[in-house]
Amino acid sequence: GTGRAGVWSETGIVQELPAKLTVKWRVPVNAGFSGPAVVDGRVFITDWAEDPVSRTMDGTERAIALDEETGEILWTREWPTSYRMLMGSYAIGPRATPTVDGDRVYVLTETGELACLSVADGSIVWQLNILREFGGRNLSWLISESPLVDGGRVIVTPGGRRAGVVALDKMT
């Protein structure tokens, strides 16, 4: 919540769900543990699809933006990745929920790709691999954190020889 105070101050929350829920829309997504981030009429989520001909856990990760009202896919941003160096039971897709900050959305993949994307069209504003950049080593359960935006910084924990925690300029 506001100021990360751990205080719930929302109003109008439903106390009980109706006996029958109506599905407004459905959109298939691939593998992953990312939760959706719903901001200003858009739903952001990340997933992973294994290349069907790969025998070494190669595939594609992607970030998706959906229209909150209709489920229409507004844009996708894809990048190739390989999970071959990961324990098979953990190589199932991104775990980090995207972080939305104004006109930018920050995504962090299991393999350390941190990307700042345009909310409007998914174009890459900037991107770097936090494990390579800071000498990090992926844990057996992989990267599971969502990027934290604090003021002008985006904070992540590569856990590397050169940096355990880093605060990057969120714009660059």
Side-chain angles (χ1 to χ4, degrees):
T2 304
R4 297 187 232 0
V7 176
W8 179 272
S9 58
E10 299 295 322
T11 60
I13 302 302
V14 175
Q15 297 297 318
E16 290 184 33
L17 292 175
K20 183 176 180 181
L21 295 175
T22 302
V23 175
K24 197 168 183 181
W25 54 264
R26 290 179 198 262
V27 174
V29 294
N30 298 318
F33 295 102
S34 168
V38 182
V39 178
D40 293 331
R42 292 177 184 238
V43 179
F44 302 91
I45 195 160
T46 57
D47 67 4
W48 176 73
E50 185 175 2
D51 181 339
V53 298
S54 171
R55 294 173 32 147
T56 57
M57 301 295 289
D58 294 327
T60 302
E61 289 179 321
R62 69 179 178 165
I64 310 163
L66 308 165
D67 182 278
E68 179 184 5
E69 289 298 314
T70 66
E72 172 190 359
I73 296 176
L74 302 172
W75 56 258
T76 62
R77 170 63 55 195
E78 297 182 339
W79 49 94
T81 192
S82 178
Y83 288 175
R84 67 181 76 168
M85 72 299 223
L86 308 176
M87 182 186 299
S89 61
Y90 290 113
I92 305 172
R95 290 165 159 63
T97 298
T99 301
V100 182
D101 181 55
D103 62 352
R104 295 168 183 240
V105 57
Y106 299 87
V107 296
L108 181 58
T109 73
E110 283 192 309
T111 57
E113 290 299 327
L114 174 63
C116 173
L117 307 174
S118 165
V119 164
D121 62 9
S123 60
I124 296 173
V125 178
W126 58 262
Q127 179 177 354
L128 65 89
N129 185 292
I130 65 171
L131 299 178
R132 280 194 306 269
E133 183 75 20
F134 300 105
R137 184 176 65 90
N138 218 337
L139 303 170
S140 60
W141 55 83
L142 312 171
I143 294 176
S144 301
E145 68 181 274
S146 295
L148 173 65
V149 174
D150 181 43
R153 300 171 299 240
V154 59
I155 301 168
V156 292
T157 58
R161 293 181 301 279
R162 294 189 301 275
V165 177
V166 295
L168 304 165
D169 184 311
K170 73 177 186 179
M171 303 304 276
T172 63

